[in-house]
């Protein structure tokens, strides 16, 4: 990914979540949009690598998209809030023992690892992670790492969406947004996503925006190859069966489906895919 694209991704997130500048965010997104090549000169695309299974086929048939609550992710750091534990601890010490030197007490007695490994803290962190549902897109269809990781070792499919239609769908669905992921060198060192005691005690729009920025901030070295865009839907896990890792949300259908090199075209799943695609007027390659 070029430096300019990284900067535009950063700008989109900073304008939306820090400056509350919708116009500035849209300008950055549209600049990124204009840099995406047209497919055959027809439309600009977002891609979604998926395994070919009954759940994905149901989504295609019903014109929905499967979105997950982040606590179900394998990467436990993804969408995990970053806390300024020193500031929070010193606030608590000062409030309860005003005569103590908060700096010295923190250094001598507070173990950050113990705090984060506490079962109640972990439960609270997961609750915070699951304030929104997420679905992931990318800008490329020929990324071999993505085929291996997200499309069942290239035996799955890549759904091709018209970016323009995605943007229109997002506008029409209440509580839904789409943002480019901001890639940083060390997300835990970024103060703009670091929650302090005020964010925890007096949660407001600014605190919520700070946490949403957490959900679109990922490690550059580990993840920038994904060129990810995140579809975000405001629906907490409290609204669903606690055993579910996600749910199918009404959305637009893909314009095209690319089959992985290792997909078994004699399988019943592939035959059903072809039938659904024919019914929905979706090209399968």
């Amino acid at each position: 990914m070029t430096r300019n694209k990284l900067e535009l991704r950063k700008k989109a997130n900073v304008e939306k979540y820090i400056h509350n500048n919708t116009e500035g965010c849209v300008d950055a997104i549209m600049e990124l949009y204009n840099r995406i090549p047209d497919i055959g000169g027809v439309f600009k695309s977002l891609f979604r690598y998926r395994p070919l299974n009954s759940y994905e086929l149901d989504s295609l048939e019903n014109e929905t998209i499967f979105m997950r609550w982040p606590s179900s992710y394998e990467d436990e750091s993804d969408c995990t809030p970053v806390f300024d534990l020193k500031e929070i601890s010193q606030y608590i010490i000062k409030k309860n023992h005003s005569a103590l030197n908060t700096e010295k007490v923190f250094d001598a007695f507070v173990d950050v690892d113990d705090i984060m490994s506490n079962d109640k803290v972990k439960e609270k962190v997961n609750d915070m992670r699951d304030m929104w549902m997420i679905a992931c897109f990318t800008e490329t269809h020929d990324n071999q790492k993505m085929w291996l990781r997200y499309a069942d070792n290239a035996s799955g499919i890549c759904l091709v969406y018209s970016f323009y239609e995605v943007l229109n769908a997002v506008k029409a669905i209440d509580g839904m947004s789409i943002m480019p992921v901001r890639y940083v060198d060390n997300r835990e060192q970024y103060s703009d996503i670091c929650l302090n005691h005020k964010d925890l005690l007096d949660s407001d729009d600014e605190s919520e925006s700070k946490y949403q920025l957490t959900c679109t901030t990922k490690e550059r070295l580990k993840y920038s190859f994904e060129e990810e865009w995140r579809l975000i839907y405001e629906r907490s896990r409290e609204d669903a069966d606690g055993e579910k890792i996600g749910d199918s949300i009404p959305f637009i259908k893909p314009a095209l489906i690319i089959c992985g090199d290792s997909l078994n075209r004699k399988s019943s799943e592939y035959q059903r895919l072809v039938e659904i695609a024919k019914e929905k007027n979706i090209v399968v390659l």
Side-chain angles (χ1 to χ4, degrees):
M1 187 184 303
T2 65
R3 182 181 296 274
N4 284 341
K5 289 180 72 174
L6 285 170
E7 287 300 317
L8 284 170
R9 284 169 169 266
K10 176 182 177 180
K11 180 183 178 183
N13 281 277
V14 168
E15 294 297 339
K16 179 177 178 65
Y17 297 123
I18 298 177
H19 298 155
N20 194 26
N21 179 4
T22 301
E23 184 177 344
C25 174
V26 170
D27 286 346
I29 286 176
M30 293 312 297
E31 216 174 318
L32 284 166
Y33 172 85
N34 289 330
R35 290 166 182 260
I36 295 175
D38 299 343
I39 290 217
V42 179
F43 60 85
K44 296 178 183 293
S45 304
L46 285 178
F47 303 93
R48 184 164 160 81
Y49 295 88
R50 305 298 294 166
L52 183 59
N53 54 37
S54 59
Y55 299 108
E56 196 60 39
L57 289 167
D58 288 345
S59 281
L60 283 169
E61 190 167 47
N62 298 321
E63 295 187 18
T64 62
I65 187 168
F66 187 74
M67 303 189 72
R68 292 178 68 159
W69 286 286
S71 66
S72 67
Y73 288 162
E74 289 184 11
D75 183 352
E76 294 183 358
S77 70
D78 199 342
C79 293
T80 296
V82 177
F83 299 101
D84 187 344
L85 290 176
K86 183 172 184 177
E87 188 274 343
I88 294 169
S89 299
Q90 289 182 331
Y91 167 80
I92 295 171
I93 294 167
K94 190 69 174 177
K95 182 178 180 181
N96 293 287
H97 307 282
S98 58
L100 295 177
N101 183 312
T102 58
E103 184 89 21
K104 289 183 178 180
V105 172
F106 177 83
D107 292 340
F109 298 107
V110 177
D111 188 321
V112 171
D113 291 336
D114 280 349
I115 294 174
M116 296 309 297
S117 63
N118 180 276
D119 288 339
K120 289 186 177 180
V121 172
K122 288 194 289 187
E123 182 179 351
K124 179 62 177 177
V125 167
N126 276 338
D127 287 343
M128 293 180 71
R129 292 178 78 192
D130 290 342
M131 292 170 64
W132 297 280
M133 305 181 79
I134 289 176
C136 305
F137 296 86
T138 181
E139 297 181 12
T140 58
H141 68 277
D142 55 358
N143 188 314
Q144 294 305 310
K145 287 185 180 179
M146 302 280 277
W147 276 109
L148 292 173
R149 182 177 296 185
Y150 301 114
D152 199 13
N153 292 322
S155 65
I157 55 178
C158 179
L159 306 177
V160 185
Y161 289 87
S162 162
F163 202 156
Y164 180 76
E165 290 184 7
V166 169
L167 291 174
N168 283 336
V170 167
K171 290 179 185 177
I173 300 173
D174 188 40
M176 185 173 282
S177 61
I178 188 165
M179 288 293 293
V181 166
R182 174 182 70 159
Y183 295 106
V184 300
D185 288 332
N186 187 342
R187 69 191 294 273
E188 293 192 1
Q189 299 299 317
Y190 271 69
S191 60
D192 57 21
I193 63 173
C194 199
L195 304 177
N196 56 39
H197 81 272
K198 291 181 180 179
D199 297 315
L200 299 180
L201 297 177
D202 303 311
S203 182
D204 53 19
D205 290 343
E206 184 177 337
S207 300
E208 184 171 309
S209 291
K210 185 184 287 188
Y211 181 58
Q212 282 191 312
L213 180 57
T214 301
C215 294
T216 57
T217 300
K218 299 180 73 173
E219 298 286 340
R220 181 178 61 87
L221 291 179
K222 189 175 181 180
Y223 288 112
S224 63
F225 77 91
E226 294 183 351
E227 298 183 283
E228 185 181 347
W229 289 71
R230 291 204 143 171
L231 190 69
I232 303 170
Y233 187 51
E234 296 178 15
R235 178 183 164 194
S236 71
R237 199 165 189 157
E238 296 173 357
D239 299 333
D241 182 343
E243 297 299 316
K244 297 175 71 174
I245 64 171
D247 211 347
S248 295
I249 306 299
F251 200 60
I252 61 172
K253 65 182 181 180
L256 182 70
I257 299 173
I258 302 172
C259 295
D261 292 339
S262 300
L263 187 148
N264 181 2
R265 295 178 184 255
K266 295 181 179 179
S267 67
S268 59
E269 289 82 7
Y270 176 75
Q271 299 307 316
R272 186 182 170 200
L273 173 68
V274 172
E275 291 173 5
I276 293 172
K278 183 177 181 181
E279 177 187 341
K280 302 289 183 182
N281 197 29
I282 302 172
V283 175
V284 178
L285 298 179

